[in-house]
Amino acid sequence: MRKSLFLLAFLPLLSMAQQLSSPDGKYTISVDGMTYSVTYNNKVIIEKSQLGVDIDNRLFESALAVPRGVHENWCADLQLKGEERLSVDTTWTPLYGENTRIRDHYNQLVLHYEKGSNGQGTVTEGYDKRKYYAMDIVVRAYNEGIAFRYHFPETANSLFLHITGEQTSFAMPTGTMAWYEEWAQGAYEKRSLTPSPSPKGEGSEWFESERPLLLLVPPPSEGTGEATYVALLEAAMKDYTRGKFKLAKDNVLQIAMYSCADIISPYDTPWRVIMAGDRAVDLINHKDLVLNLNEERAQEDWSWVRPGKAFRSGKLAKDAIMKSIDFCAEFGIPYVELDAGWYGPEGKVASDARKVIETRDFTMPEVCAYAKSKGIGVWVYVNQRALYRQLDELLPLYQQWGISGIKFGFVHIGNQQWSTWLHDAVEKCAKYHIMVDIHDEYRPTGLSRTYPHLLTQEGIRGNEEMPDATHNVTLPFTRYLCGPGDYTLCYFNSRVKNTKGHQLAMAAVYYSPLQFYFWYDNPYMKGWNNAELKFWKDIPTVFDESIALDGQPGEYIIQARRSGQDWFMGCMTNTEARTVSIPTDFLPAGKYEVEIYNDDPTLDTQTKVSTMRKTIKVGTPSRWRGQGGGSITLQLQPSGGAALHIKPVIK
């Protein structure tokens, strides 16, 4: 690891804008007081925008000599005291993931501001000399993007602050378009950054969009250059309040906090993240940035954390559960899950998650014992109502039973109280070696780096809502930028709007260390041995290397993932038929056997998926990665897709 540190205190030119560039020079952020702007490849992608937080401490300042009105526009009179610069270049190894090694390479600028100081260390008259009202802006420039957050330094008396909002804004160039999503399990709509007429005829609507927010920034002038894809994200949101992106005025987005936050210094707010790319897939290939902005996992034994596939028992009856376990063992799925209802109606206070409800014909110890005899782990669904009331009793009991993981259900996420409670609950699960899957409105912000037993989360419009193919090929460029998504893959269910090839490819396109298969299906009763399902059997849920090869939001996606020497690919298109050309020049030189599973409507079979094998040659023995290779051309059906398994031919 290489680090360098430069410190300047009490800068004489306090009005001069401070600049920070990424190691490769592509990104530059300029900070001038409480404003900033960002360029990417010398193109302005964020125009002059606001920084800062709103703080109202009127209820807590009676004992302090604070001038009247200090709560109003709290950051307005902050003065720059000094700066620190730091460069970091290191590589770390996640416990599991989409890549086995992640480079953490950035330049950092910390700007120290004080309220009540004249910039020379002298406290302004009227302020309590025992403390400064201080705030730092911490800025990082990576080759993958820009990140910044607010840090409140430690004070002698642990300063309490009541944060009522953020001034943080993102002024986008005129003509920018956004892939708007109202809520975490909502549909996407491409909109301009201007208010739209209210459907009720009551003026205009100023939208508030979920994060990540994908944007398309037009060329600087008509006919000059190319458009740029930009994503706005949130990282390391652990004990704060959820932020969305509110359209504050034409072409200006602002952080909209769910509610107020109460903090005690020292304290760091979540990171605000800006990523850009000439190609939309550049954003996908740079999303490890979100993990880099989170703390490392504790140095302890994590060997009990085992990602894998999962299958939900469709019925909560003993015979069905045992059949589900048998199916998991036969198909190669390491986990069975018992969903809502096993301990009674999940929404009722009387339902006791410490036992199976008396109306069921099984006990949890006998289910766990039978599953263990087949080499299968057991996950259980528990609603937040029971988790909140009983968590400290449930965890040691579940460990005693042999439960592998808990799926948290109907979590409330948004305000500071529930955000803190939820992450504290996740942390407690680690003490009992219980893995976690959070469902409903929770969006990841990279905390699986800190808590690797937090395998996945929902916060996605998946197969519980049965979205169409256009939505599905938007997700890799939006929701999946911030972390794993529990899409709950279906295959046989008649309500699925897309082809079997499309569904099959999801296993490679959608990353989830705990990947649910056959969500609404009963494959052990429906001839689940279709030949193409070999792809779902073969593909793992975590990988050594991942590359998004090509794609456009809402149009198509081609994703490749390596496990060992094998590559797995997923190709998905929207509701239109499409010819895709899959490059192979990322492969090392050599000969490969390719298994291709593609839709073929002419087949007289249940699923109409063809299985084809072909041999390809990439480069020559003396020309390795990045050389030669040609491509594989496939015809995709409307709402279709294809899955590929590429294996080197060993001589």
Side-chain angles (χ1 to χ4, degrees):
M1 180 174 69
R2 301 188 300 275
K3 289 188 178 181
S4 56
L5 174 64
F6 306 94
L7 175 63
L8 284 173
F10 308 119
L11 295 177
L13 298 175
L14 298 179
S15 61
M16 182 182 296
Q18 309 301 309
Q19 290 193 337
L20 184 72
S21 295
S22 57
D24 64 4
K26 288 187 176 182
Y27 288 93
T28 298
I29 179 170
S30 299
V31 181
D32 188 358
M34 288 292 117
T35 65
Y36 79 101
S37 60
V38 178
T39 62
Y40 172 73
N41 283 340
N42 298 315
K43 173 184 175 181
V44 176
I45 57 171
I46 305 289
E47 297 177 347
K48 187 176 181 180
S49 303
Q50 293 298 309
L51 294 166
V53 295
D54 296 324
I55 294 175
D56 187 347
N57 267 23
R58 284 174 291 181
L59 297 177
F60 309 100
E61 292 173 342
S62 58
L64 306 178
V66 179
R68 186 181 176 131
V70 72
H71 58 278
E72 297 173 359
N73 196 7
W74 190 87
C75 291
D77 59 346
L78 285 174
Q79 294 175 316
L80 183 62
K81 176 187 175 185
E83 71 170 46
E84 296 176 40
R85 291 180 183 266
L86 176 71
S87 295
V88 172
D89 187 2
T90 187
T91 302
W92 60 281
T93 302
L95 191 66
Y96 58 82
E98 297 180 82
N99 299 286
T100 52
R101 293 180 66 78
I102 296 175
R103 190 180 185 187
D104 191 10
H105 188 198
Y106 62 88
N107 295 324
Q108 178 172 285
L109 169 65
V110 181
L111 296 171
H112 301 291
Y113 292 88
E114 282 188 0
K115 180 183 288 287
S117 169
N118 61 9
Q120 304 297 323
T122 303
V123 180
T124 305
E125 184 179 356
Y127 279 82
D128 190 331
K129 292 181 173 59
R130 295 171 300 173
K131 71 163 68 63
Y132 290 134
Y133 279 70
M135 184 183 80
D136 298 339
I137 298 178
V138 184
V139 185
R140 289 185 183 177
Y142 293 79
N143 293 341
E144 296 78 23
I146 296 289
F148 60 86
R149 69 179 177 187
Y150 307 109
H151 170 74
F152 296 92
E154 181 179 5
T155 56
N157 64 344
S158 298
L159 181 62
F160 177 92
L161 295 172
H162 181 61
I163 300 177
T164 58
E166 284 196 23
Q167 292 289 326
T168 312
S169 67
F170 308 85
M172 307 305 300
T174 301
T176 296
M177 301 296 292
W179 275 264
Y180 160 79
E181 186 193 31
E182 186 175 8
W183 61 301
Q185 297 181 62
Y188 288 96
E189 178 185 343
K190 196 174 179 181
R191 287 189 179 187
S192 65
L193 295 184
T194 55
S196 58
S198 170
K200 299 179 181 179
E202 300 171 352
S204 299
E205 289 188 332
W206 297 80
F207 68 72
E208 216 174 79
S209 185
E210 269 290 351
R211 73 274 190 240
L213 178 60
L214 176 66
L215 302 156
L216 183 62
V217 177
S221 60
E222 195 167 326
T224 302
E226 299 291 334
T228 303
Y229 289 94
V230 174
L232 305 180
L233 306 94
E234 182 178 50
M237 203 289 277
K238 181 180 178 183
D239 56 356
Y240 198 59
T241 176
R242 181 211 67 204
K244 285 189 176 183
F245 298 103
K246 174 180 68 175
L247 183 62
K249 56 184 178 181
D250 285 1
N251 302 307
V252 177
L253 297 158
Q254 184 176 352
I255 293 294
M257 290 171 55
Y258 182 92
S259 60
C260 300
D262 294 323
I263 68 168
I264 297 177
S265 64
Y267 186 87
D268 292 301
T269 66
W271 293 98
R272 307 305 175 198
V273 185
I274 302 161
M275 293 169 54
D278 298 321
R279 303 188 307 156
V281 292
D282 294 340
L283 302 177
I284 300 174
N285 291 327
H286 292 163
K287 64 181 177 179
D288 281 342
L289 171 59
V290 177
L291 293 174
N292 276 331
L293 292 166
N294 281 265
E295 296 178 2
E296 297 180 13
R297 65 184 184 271
Q299 297 301 307
E300 57 187 63
D301 178 20
W302 293 99
S303 61
W304 54 274
V305 176
R306 295 184 295 275
K309 303 166 188 174
F311 174 70
R312 178 181 69 154
S313 179
K315 294 182 179 179
L316 294 173
K318 184 175 180 178
D319 181 63
I321 294 170
M322 300 311 182
K323 284 183 177 179
S324 295
I325 292 170
D326 292 341
F327 166 68
C328 288
E330 191 167 352
F331 196 88
I333 294 176
Y335 296 113
V336 68
E337 189 248 355
L338 277 60
D339 216 66
W342 67 268
Y343 62 90
E346 61 174 308
K348 290 189 175 295
V349 174
S351 296
D352 187 349
R354 295 172 299 182
K355 60 182 181 180
V356 176
I357 192 172
E358 292 81 0
T359 54
R360 303 291 180 190
D361 64 347
F362 63 91
T363 66
M364 199 59 72
E366 69 178 329
V367 168
C368 290
Y370 184 72
K372 184 177 180 180
S373 73
K374 297 285 186 174
I376 305 300
V378 177
W379 282 68
V380 291
Y381 173 99
V382 184
N383 186 283
Q384 186 181 16
R385 181 182 287 276
L387 292 170
Y388 180 69
R389 293 172 51 247
Q390 300 180 309
L391 184 66
D392 290 335
E393 298 175 78
L394 297 179
L395 294 179
L397 176 63
Y398 289 2
Q399 185 181 43
Q400 179 185 335
W401 285 348
I403 296 296
S404 297
I406 301 175
K407 186 169 83 170
F408 287 25
F410 282 102
V411 298
H412 181 77
I413 186 69
N415 68 22
Q416 186 181 27
Q417 173 194 348
W418 289 116
S419 297
T420 303
W421 175 88
L422 180 62
H423 295 123
D424 285 348
V426 170
E427 190 169 5
K428 283 183 179 181
C429 287
K431 298 177 182 178
Y432 297 92
H433 291 190
I434 292 175
M435 295 176 284
V436 178
D437 174 7
I438 302 174
H439 257 236
D440 304 298
E441 284 297 281
Y442 179 80
R443 284 288 181 99
T445 61
L447 284 168
S448 58
R449 179 184 182 184
T450 311
Y451 306 125
H453 63 297
L454 174 54
L455 293 185
T456 192
Q457 49 272 303
E458 190 179 15
I460 193 169
R461 188 176 183 86
N463 264 157
E464 288 187 341
E465 288 87 12
M466 296 297 180
D468 66 10
T470 299
H471 173 87
N472 289 341
V473 294
T474 303
L475 288 175
F477 305 94
T478 51
R479 163 62 181 83
Y480 279 98
L481 292 181
C482 65
D486 189 1
Y487 186 95
T488 55
L489 278 59
C490 289
Y491 197 70
F492 295 105
N493 191 275
S494 61
R495 292 180 295 132
V496 175
K497 296 184 175 69
N498 312 299
T499 70
K500 296 295 187 287
H502 186 97
Q503 297 297 113
L504 204 66
M506 289 178 178
V509 174
Y510 296 162
Y511 172 65
S512 183
L514 183 74
Q515 187 77 275
F516 275 89
Y517 288 88
F518 307 109
W519 182 251
Y520 286 120
D521 303 328
N522 292 309
Y524 50 88
M525 298 173 60
K526 291 188 175 182
W528 52 268
N529 56 346
N530 291 281
E532 73 273 8
L533 289 177
K534 183 178 183 295
F535 184 78
W536 275 9
K537 288 183 178 182
D538 290 343
I539 189 171
T541 64
V542 294
F543 305 91
D544 298 320
E545 185 179 359
S546 297
I547 307 171
L549 297 172
D550 198 7
Q552 290 290 337
E555 296 182 19
Y556 69 101
I557 179 67
I558 303 174
Q559 175 74 53
R561 302 188 188 274
R562 179 177 63 83
S563 177
Q565 292 185 300
D566 288 16
W567 284 87
F568 298 88
M569 284 191 187
C571 310
M572 295 162 58
T573 184
N574 58 10
T575 53
E576 300 177 7
R578 190 178 306 274
T579 300
V580 294
S581 182
I582 304 170
T584 60
D585 57 359
F586 65 92
L587 296 168
K591 183 185 291 187
Y592 295 86
E593 180 184 77
V594 186
E595 297 174 352
I596 302 174
Y597 307 96
N598 196 5
D599 297 305
D600 184 351
T602 67
L603 292 177
D604 185 20
T605 62
Q606 177 193 14
T607 57
K608 298 187 183 301
V609 176
S610 66
T611 301
M612 180 179 69
R613 287 177 174 81
K614 63 183 297 185
T615 299
I616 61 171
K617 292 182 179 180
V618 178
T620 67
S622 61
R623 296 165 62 198
W624 295 94
R625 183 179 296 274
Q627 303 294 323
S631 62
I632 300 171
T633 300
L634 296 176
Q635 303 296 324
L636 303 183
Q637 298 298 311
S639 301
L644 295 81
H645 184 178
I646 302 176
K647 296 177 283 189
V649 176
I650 307 298
K651 294 183 180 179

